[in-house]
Each structure stands twice: as structure tokens, then as C-alpha cells.
Amino acid sequence: MTQVKQVGLPRMLLRGLFRRCAHCGGRGAFFTGWFARAERCKTCGFKWQRDLVGFQLGAAAMNIIMTGGAVLFSMGLGVILTYPEVPTWPLIAIVGSVALLVGIGGFPTSYTVWLAVDVRMHPLEPEELADAAAHANANQRS
């Protein structure tokens, strides 16, 4: 396996936004479907679930942050565009739809974005890198 060079947080977050592995930038990262996850990155072999409880909580928090940001943005935009006569019920329907779409549709993105934050806060240990390299080499041979 080739050596993966360290990248900064902004680049890792961008990788996460596009559902890529924060470590190697591999496409699709660890997702086999929209909601189904594999144990490791398809490209580099990185085991993304380093701590079950903390990681799940962080990914859920990231989904809430993304959904809340989208709701605030759509509500603010709706009020700005219709200011003198703000249509309450249509705006509530639109904002509710945005919340559902981003909350459910952003599920995999919340995991990959949180992975970027997690890897930045807790850099990969040499054992994790060796394990990932061994797994990636085994997958390349088969």
C-alpha cells in the first residue's frame, strides 16, 4: 500500500461532505449502500468505527448540526424572500420538508464528516495504520 500523506481538517471535511474516506479520500468510503456500512474503507482498509459509543454519538450530533443549519438557512431565506407578507404555513411545510430531506438524506454524510473530525482529534495510531495496510494488501491480492 502506498503511504497516505497527512492532510488538514478542511480537506478532510470536504472529503466527508462527498462521502469519501477522511484518511485516504477513497470514493464511497465505507458505505455499501445509502444506509449500509462496511467495517472498513474499501480503498485503504481503515477501520472507521474506532469507538462504538463515541463515534455513534458524534455522527448523530453532526447530523443534528447539519439538519439544524439547513432548517435555519431555509427559514431565513424564506422570510427574506417573502418579508412583508410571510406565508406561515407554506414556509412551515417547506422548512419541515428540508428537515426531513437533510436529516435522512444526510445520514451517510454525517458519518463521513464526523470521521474527519474524529481522525483530526485523535490521529491514527501506528497499530491502526498497520492494520489498515494489512487489510488493504489482503484485499488487493484477492
Side-chain angles (χ1 to χ4, degrees):
M1 178 174 155
T2 60
Q3 186 73 336
V4 178
K5 80 175 198 180
Q6 292 289 354
V7 296
L9 181 61
R11 184 159 193 165
M12 288 195 304
L13 289 173
L14 274 175
R15 288 176 175 176
L17 282 174
F18 292 103
R19 292 182 57 195
R20 292 178 176 259
C21 176
H23 177 61
C24 71
R27 196 171 251 165
F30 46 83
F31 283 91
T32 57
W34 195 257
F35 295 108
R37 299 177 302 264
E39 184 177 313
R40 297 176 176 273
C41 173
K42 299 175 210 172
T43 307
C44 69
F46 171 55
K47 187 173 182 179
W48 62 271
Q49 196 166 5
R50 300 164 79 191
D51 178 17
L52 178 64
V53 176
F55 190 85
Q56 298 289 353
L57 181 61
M62 191 59 62
N63 196 317
I64 290 168
I65 290 167
M66 289 168 35
T67 303
V71 164
L72 287 174
F73 178 77
S74 62
M75 188 183 308
L77 186 63
V79 169
I80 289 170
L81 292 176
T82 62
Y83 175 62
E85 305 284 328
V86 178
T88 307
W89 288 110
L91 188 58
I92 288 173
I94 291 170
V95 169
S97 299
V98 166
L100 285 174
L101 287 173
V102 174
I104 295 170
F107 173 79
T109 304
S110 67
Y111 271 79
T112 53
V113 169
W114 179 250
L115 178 64
V117 173
D118 186 50
V119 168
R120 186 63 179 176
M121 289 190 311
H122 305 105
L124 299 176
E125 300 290 327
E127 298 84 24
E128 290 177 294
L129 291 170
D131 180 49
H135 192 272
N137 288 334
N139 279 348
Q140 287 176 355
R141 280 188 235 133
S142 55

